[in-house]
Amino acid sequence: MKIIDISNKTVAVSRTDSIGDVVLTLPICAWIKNKFPTTKIVFFCKSYTFDVLKCYPFIDEIVCFNQWNEISDKEKIKSIESLSIDTFIHVFPNKELASLVKKAKVPYRIGTSHRLFHWLNCNIRPNFTRKNSDYHEAQLNFELLRNLGLNTLPSKEELTEMLSAFSPREKLNPFLEKVLDNSDKKIVLHTKSQGSAVEWPIEKYIELSHQLIDKGYCVYFSGTEKEGQLFRSFLPSHPKIIDVSGKSTVGELITFLSHCDALVACSTGPLHLASALGLKAIGLYTDLRPMHPGRWAPIGKKAMAITIQNEKNPTLDDINLISVEQVLTAVTS
């Protein structure tokens, strides 16, 4: 195996998908900076996750790849060449980007061997599988660093430490600042996942909110504007139940979460943001692979995952069987 010395070089990390996936990719940037302090890290992402990446100090430059949609391939190649990248790590496989990086003649191009287009465009192709692995997604990302001198995958405790540098960068907008103006314990219930995960019923979130109010919590229902339209009509009118969906940018949401005590959600981006911020982040899951918490649980000192522990015959519907009492105990213990 060829070991690459990236000291004083530029390394690109590409994860052009969703918030949760990006958060779970951040630790590899910390590892690279720790081993090669003089390395410059450029992170290729979608615009939607830009505010997430701004919160992590180990990233030197951010490229929103989707903003290149209006320029020609020739201009895209020139843009990649201008970054003087020595090693490009395709954490999330992107066929178009893989082809462009090769045409830009980046010396070392790393991508999993399980994608056919990586055989055409990458010259370092680690052979590992994600779907059937017992490792966490954040651990599996490190398989792509073997040629940088990585010997063993980090533990979840080590990943937690790597994520501890994650911190807010945006100010609260006036609405969020106003609704935070109280002395109660604060919990966020993020009920939707934009279709990326199995969701706990909204009726159970509402029942949970009433019990949390009795325990002295102020309850915030979060989500995008589109998600808010799906659940707002179900929310009871109560001064301690506040709808913050559609009221913030991603950066403002991160800052808002940092002022809260806990968050409950299924396997979705805000759950991973909350865990990275050090909140009590409680994820609701099915034991069905590959959606199970062994692969996707939040990583953090106060993070936890709840299932009904049906590992012998799991189904997607198992998440519906998680009781309000289970979640309430997790929040208040």
Side-chain angles (χ1 to χ4, degrees):
M1 178 188 296
K2 179 180 178 59
I3 302 299
I4 306 168
D5 183 1
I6 55 173
S7 299
N8 301 307
K9 302 289 181 62
T10 297
V11 171
V13 175
S14 174
R15 187 95 206 199
T16 53
D17 50 350
S18 59
I19 288 175
D21 301 290
V22 167
V23 172
L24 296 179
T25 302
L26 296 178
I28 70 174
C29 301
W31 184 90
I32 290 170
K33 280 289 192 179
N34 183 58
K35 186 174 178 63
F36 304 98
T38 58
T39 295
K40 178 181 179 181
I41 296 179
V42 179
F43 203 110
F44 279 66
C45 67
K46 291 196 303 186
S47 300
Y48 183 57
T49 60
F50 179 81
D51 284 351
V52 176
L53 296 166
K54 286 198 304 182
C55 296
Y56 205 55
F58 301 112
I59 296 168
D60 300 293
E61 187 172 345
I62 304 169
V63 175
C64 298
F65 183 59
N66 59 302
Q67 293 182 351
W68 291 6
N69 288 342
E70 304 303 319
I71 65 176
S72 67
D73 282 357
K74 186 176 180 179
E75 291 174 299
K76 292 174 186 176
I77 293 167
K78 283 185 177 179
S79 295
I80 295 172
E81 289 173 340
S82 70
L83 294 169
S84 301
I85 299 168
D86 176 79
T87 302
F88 200 107
I89 305 169
H90 295 279
V91 183
F92 178 74
N94 183 309
K95 186 176 182 179
E96 179 192 6
L97 187 52
S99 175
L100 292 170
V101 170
K102 181 181 180 181
K103 290 175 181 176
K105 298 181 181 179
V106 172
Y108 300 107
R109 306 177 302 278
I110 303 174
T112 172
S113 65
H114 288 232
R115 299 284 178 161
L116 179 60
F117 57 85
H118 281 171
W119 285 87
L120 300 174
N121 298 302
C122 295
N123 51 11
I124 298 175
R125 297 180 294 272
N127 183 23
F128 66 98
T129 178
R130 292 180 185 265
K131 186 175 181 180
N132 297 315
S133 175
D134 289 328
Y135 284 104
H136 192 278
E137 178 75 1
Q139 293 173 304
L140 290 168
N141 290 334
F142 279 79
E143 290 285 5
L144 296 164
L145 305 186
R146 296 288 189 182
N147 288 80
L148 302 186
L150 177 78
N151 295 316
T152 58
L153 299 183
S155 66
K156 291 181 182 179
E157 291 73 22
E158 290 171 319
L159 291 171
T160 296
E161 182 60 31
M162 293 177 193
L163 281 171
S164 65
F166 188 83
S167 61
R169 290 290 181 269
E170 298 290 328
K171 292 182 178 180
L172 289 175
N173 63 46
F175 172 80
L176 293 180
E177 192 169 14
K178 180 180 178 180
V179 297
L180 275 174
D181 187 19
N182 61 73
S183 59
D184 295 304
K185 291 176 286 185
K186 303 171 185 63
I187 185 166
V188 175
L189 304 184
H190 194 89
T191 67
K192 298 296 180 180
S193 67
Q194 299 192 59
S196 67
V198 191
E199 297 170 358
W200 205 43
I202 185 64
E203 295 80 8
K204 290 195 172 185
Y205 278 110
I206 291 171
E207 183 182 346
L208 175 64
S209 69
H210 285 299
Q211 296 199 37
L212 287 167
I213 290 170
D214 291 340
K215 298 285 186 181
Y217 282 84
C218 186
V219 181
Y220 302 93
F221 280 81
S222 66
T224 64
E225 174 59 29
K226 186 176 180 180
E227 289 170 336
Q229 292 172 7
L230 297 175
F231 65 72
R232 282 184 193 135
S233 62
F234 295 95
L235 298 184
S237 178
H238 193 289
K240 295 295 181 68
I241 295 178
I242 301 172
D243 176 19
V244 296
S245 61
K247 298 293 196 300
S248 66
T249 64
V250 173
E252 290 167 345
L253 174 64
I254 293 169
T255 303
F256 179 79
L257 291 177
S258 72
H259 289 275
C260 296
D261 301 287
L263 177 142
V264 178
C266 61
S267 180
T268 189
L271 175 68
H272 297 289
L273 291 174
S275 60
L277 289 166
L279 276 69
K280 181 176 278 189
I282 300 167
L284 310 180
Y285 291 80
T286 169
D287 283 308
L288 184 66
R289 288 174 177 262
M291 292 81 76
H292 67 304
R295 171 87 179 273
W296 293 106
I299 299 291
K301 291 181 180 179
K302 297 181 182 179
M304 65 184 77
I306 297 177
T307 72
I308 64 164
Q309 299 182 340
N310 180 20
E311 296 179 8
K312 289 187 178 181
N313 188 31
T315 68
L316 289 176
D317 292 335
D318 285 347
I319 194 170
N320 298 325
L321 301 178
I322 297 173
S323 70
V324 172
E325 289 70 25
Q326 278 180 278
V327 182
L328 182 67
T329 298
V331 173
T332 58
S333 61

